[in-house]
Amino acid sequence: MIVTRNTILLVHNDTEYLLLAQKTMAAAGFYPDIAKSSIEALEKIPSKPYKAMVLNHGIGDIDGLGILQQISKRGITIPVIVLIDPVSENIIIEAIKAGAADYLVKSGDHLKILPFLVTRAIETAQLKQAEKALSESEERYRSLFKGMLNGYAFCRMLFDEDNKPVDFIYIDVNDAFENLTGLRKEDVIGKRVTEAIPSINVLNPELITIYGGVASTGKPTAFEVFFKPLDIWLAISVYSPRKDHFVAIFDNITERKQAEELLQTV
């Protein structure tokens, strides 16, 4: 993962140590800003989009744990690496519980591994943020489709070694899915379509091809099909919210099709 705009905040009450840490982090491609007190640090954090903070536990006016608590109370999300003196190693667990992303004991050439710890903390924070955004997005999808009259199915496509679509797994369906198909949620969610509807490969193999195309290319499509396993006509719209997944929104149009056929015979 590439970390961009690597502006970080170094918080330490020792000017000589700050300069050395600043030089080390700058050489590793970071843009280090500095604060010499907890008050200065707490004032600076909201002013810039810092990617991470390196915090000396024995800062003086407020210790590292106090700053972590203040950050948490203010709802600020930033990965923090706490610098700890060898004689204070007993506070490591407390620091992690207070929200520290990592810690570094100040002994030997410890600054040599600081860039690695900061990079790891930033990447972990970014990954958690991405996972949270994805979870919230999926929850919005579920909320949107849960009460709709159209059937809804969110699925993950399965491909063979030649990247040919061969099956898909139901991840989520709404109540209308049950009403329109007669298939119960507990009989389809978490299962392959070839398990839930074994005859689909024989009776409607084109559906897997169509869904696979949408899931792999991201290009949406809409079509009507006579779904032979259930003996019904469906109008289906398909799009892909993310790679190798698709959402199918459909309606039972059997009555309309039967009416059209009747008109053609008159």
Side-chain angles (χ1 to χ4, degrees):
M1 181 181 294
I2 299 174
V3 180
T4 58
R5 298 179 182 176
N6 302 325
T7 303
I8 63 171
L9 181 61
L10 303 175
V11 186
H12 205 293
N13 52 339
D14 186 321
T15 302
E16 185 177 344
Y17 185 94
L18 268 180
L19 292 174
L20 185 58
Q22 209 174 7
K23 182 179 179 180
T24 300
M25 298 307 294
F30 292 90
Y31 300 92
D33 194 2
I34 62 172
K36 296 182 180 180
S37 69
S38 58
I39 294 175
E40 184 182 2
L42 290 171
E43 288 176 348
K44 280 193 169 187
I45 291 172
S47 66
K48 291 183 181 180
Y50 293 110
K51 291 289 187 179
M53 177 168 68
V54 178
L55 171 65
N56 183 40
H57 172 255
I59 189 65
D61 45 352
I62 304 176
D63 65 17
L65 295 180
I67 296 179
L68 287 170
Q69 290 167 359
Q70 286 294 321
I71 290 174
S72 178
K73 286 181 180 178
R74 299 182 186 190
I76 299 171
T77 303
I78 181 174
V80 179
I81 293 86
V82 179
L83 299 171
I84 299 172
D85 293 318
V87 295
S88 304
E89 288 188 49
N90 59 311
I91 63 96
I92 290 175
I93 295 178
E94 293 180 55
I96 298 299
K97 286 182 177 179
D102 212 334
Y103 67 91
L104 178 61
V105 177
K106 295 189 292 183
S107 62
D109 294 331
H110 65 281
L111 284 178
K112 289 183 178 180
I113 65 171
L114 183 58
F116 166 75
L117 294 181
V118 172
T119 298
R120 185 173 66 180
I122 293 173
E123 291 181 346
T124 299
Q126 289 177 333
L127 180 59
K128 288 181 178 178
Q129 186 177 20
E131 290 174 343
K132 180 182 178 182
L134 179 59
S135 176
E136 290 175 349
S137 176
E138 289 179 349
E139 184 58 35
R140 285 196 296 271
Y141 276 122
R142 293 191 184 98
S143 298
L144 174 64
F145 295 119
K146 186 176 181 181
M148 68 189 302
L149 297 177
N150 296 88
Y152 154 81
F154 176 42
C155 308
R156 178 168 64 87
M157 204 71 217
L158 301 178
F159 301 86
D160 63 15
E161 57 186 16
D162 297 320
N163 207 34
K164 177 184 176 182
V166 293
D167 212 335
F168 60 85
I169 296 174
Y170 287 101
I171 297 175
D172 190 27
V173 300
N174 66 352
D175 292 341
F177 176 96
E178 292 185 316
N179 298 332
L180 293 171
T181 66
L183 299 171
R184 298 184 303 172
K185 290 181 182 180
E186 55 266 33
D187 293 333
V188 298
I189 292 180
K191 293 184 179 180
R192 298 182 177 214
V193 68
T194 51
E195 295 175 319
I197 311 173
S199 59
I200 191 171
N201 265 336
V202 176
L203 300 179
N204 286 101
E206 74 278 11
L207 287 177
I208 292 178
T209 301
I210 293 171
Y211 292 153
V214 174
S216 59
T217 67
K219 295 180 180 179
T221 189
F223 59 96
E224 294 180 355
V225 63
F226 182 63
F227 192 56
K228 298 173 185 177
L230 300 180
D231 197 31
I232 58 176
W233 276 94
L234 297 174
I236 305 175
S237 296
V238 194
Y239 70 94
S240 176
R242 68 175 189 262
K243 183 70 173 174
D244 295 340
H245 291 70
F246 69 89
V247 168
I249 301 171
F250 63 92
D251 194 14
N252 187 333
I253 58 170
T254 304
E255 290 185 3
R256 193 196 82 193
K257 283 291 186 179
Q258 289 174 343
E260 290 174 354
E261 290 176 5
L262 184 60
L263 286 174
Q264 290 175 1
T265 60
V266 175

